Amino acid sequence: MTLKNLTNYHFLAFVIITLYLSPFLILGQDIYIPIKDTLDSTFVNFKTLAESGKIFSPSSSVMDEIMNSPRRSFFTEFRFILWLFYFFDPFTAYIINQFLIRVIAYLGMYLLLNKYIFENNYKSYTFSIAILYALLPFYSLVGISVAGLPYITYVFLNIRNKFDSKKDWFSLILFPFYTSIIVSTIFYISLIVLVWFYDLLTKNVSKNFTLALLIFTLVVFLRDYRLFDQFFFEKDFISHRIEFKSQSYDIYYAIAVTINNFIYGHVRAASLHTFFLPLILIVFIINVFSKPRNKLFLILFFMVSLFSILLGFGGSEIMKSFNDLVELLGSFNYKRYYFISPFIWFLLFAVSIKYILIKYNLNFYKKVIWILKILTLILILYNNEALTEYRRNGITYKQFFAEKLFNEIKKFIGKDQDSYKVGSIGLHPSITRYNGFYTLDGYLGNYDLDYKHLFRKIISQEFEKNEELKKSFDEWGSRSYIYIAEIGTDVENNRILKNKRNSINVNLNTSVLHNMGGEYLISSYKIENFLENNLLYLKKFTDRDSAWEIFLYKVNN
C-alpha cells in the first residue's frame, strides 16, 4: 500500500472522529454528558484536585473541599487526565480527552490488525473495523484503559516478536499514565503474564518480552503508589470499603447475566457487538467441526466467554464464600475482566472476517460482512453518549451544573466559600462542589471509615423509614449523600425531575451536621418541617438555564 493511500485512510479517520465529536463544538455546554459515574463524581473529583493546590501533597493531607477526605481518596498526580483538567477548563478537558482516546483507539486497532491479523492485506477491512472501534461509547474518564488496549497489545507483540523499536519502548512506559489500574490495566497485565508463562513452557520466552512485562508492571504500580501506600504503610487509615458486602443472587440470575453480557456487553464497557455476533458464532461452529482449527479465534472466543461467566457467576451464591474472602483482602473486583471484552470482540470480528474471506472468497460473503459493519455503525451512533444521556435523563451539562444559579446563591451567602460547608438534599453533591462550595457530602470510592460513621448520624432517622437506603449506605456507602426516605434513590438514579414532588418532610440530626462544619443545606425540594430540624429558610433560587429549583436553608444550631 502506498504512503499516499495510508495517509488518506488516516485523514479520513481524523475527519470521521471530528464529525463524531462535532456536537461538543456545535452545542457547547448545551450537550448531554453522562451523569452517572461521570458528572456526579469522577468529573468533579478531577476538577477538585486540579484546583486544590494539593496535587503533590502527602496522601494523609486533608482535602477540605469534599468530605474532609484525605488526599489519597483522589487520583495520583501521575494521571494524564488530571493535567488536562489542570491546564484547561473542565468542559474543554473533557472534549480533548474524548478526541485523544478515539485517535489512539483507531491507530492502535489499525496498526494491530494491519500487522498481525490481516498482514498488510484487506486494508479497507482494517480501516473500517478500526474506525468502528474508535467510535464506541468508551467510559472516557478512565482514559485509554479500554480504548488503548489494541495499541499496547501491538507494542507487546512487536517486542515479543523482536520487531520492537524505540517507539515501542517509549509507548510501553507512557501508556500507564493514561489508564486506570482498577478498570483494566491490572487485568490486562494478568493476561500478559499468562502469555509469558506460555512462552516459558514452550521455551520461547525472550529477554526483551520479560523486561517489557516487568517495566510495564513496575510503572503501573509506581504510578498508583498512593493506592498501595494505603495498604502497606498507612495503618491509621481505614477505608470505608472494609464494610463492603456483596449481594449474592441465585444460579438462574447468574445464567441470565452471563447470557446478557455475552450477547449485549456491559453498559460500562460497551462493545456493541450484537450485530456481528452471529458471524462469530458461525465461524466458531465451523472451527469446532473442521480441521485445521484457528487457534487464535478459539482462544479469543474462550476469553470473552470466560469474562461473561466471571461477571455472571462472580456475584452468585456459589461464589459467596470466595467473595467474602476477597472483600476481607480489600474488596478487589475480579469480575472487571469484562472491561477487556470490547477489544476482544472486535479482534474476533476481524479474525472471523479474515477466516471467511480466505475460506469462502465470494462476493456474497463480502456483502454480508459490509452489511454487518453498517448495522454496527448504526448501533454505535444510536448509542452515542449524548443521545443516550438525552434519552435517559434529558439534562444538559449547563442545566446540570447551573453555574449562574449557584453564583447567585454564593453571592447571597456573601462569605468566602472555604469558610463554611454545605450539604445537598435532592441533588448530587458534585453540583455544589463544581460551583466552588465546600461539601460535607460526596461520592468517593475510598474515604475514611470514621467519616462514614459520623456522617451516618446525620441521616440515621431517615434510614429507619427506608431499609433500601440503609442497606445501600451501610453495605456500600461510596455515595455519602444526605439521603431522605421520601426521595429514596431518585437522586443517584437521576429521577428527581421525573418523580418531582412539591415538598418533603425530613428528620435530620442537624446538630451533628453543624458540628461537622455544615452551615447551609441546599435542597431541590421545599422542606415542610424545616423548623423541627433547626433549619432557617432563607430563599428560593430559580434560573431558566438550571434543571433545579433551589431552596436554601441555614443550619440554626
Side-chain angles (χ1 to χ4, degrees), residues 137 261 265-270 392:
N261 186 71
H266 194 279
V267 65
R268 188 50 69 214
R392 182 181 294 143

Side-chain angles (χ1 to χ4, degrees), residues 16 50 70 83 100 123 157 213 232 236 252 257 265 321 336 352 359 373 402 423 452 454 482 523 554:
I16 292 173
W83 292 100
L100 290 177
K123 295 294 184 179
L157 285 175
L213 177 57
F232 298 109
D236 294 334
Y252 300 104
V257 171
S321 298
R336 284 185 171 174
S352 299
K359 198 173 183 70
K373 288 191 287 188
K452 176 185 176 182
L454 180 60
I482 299 179
S523 175
K554 191 176 191 311

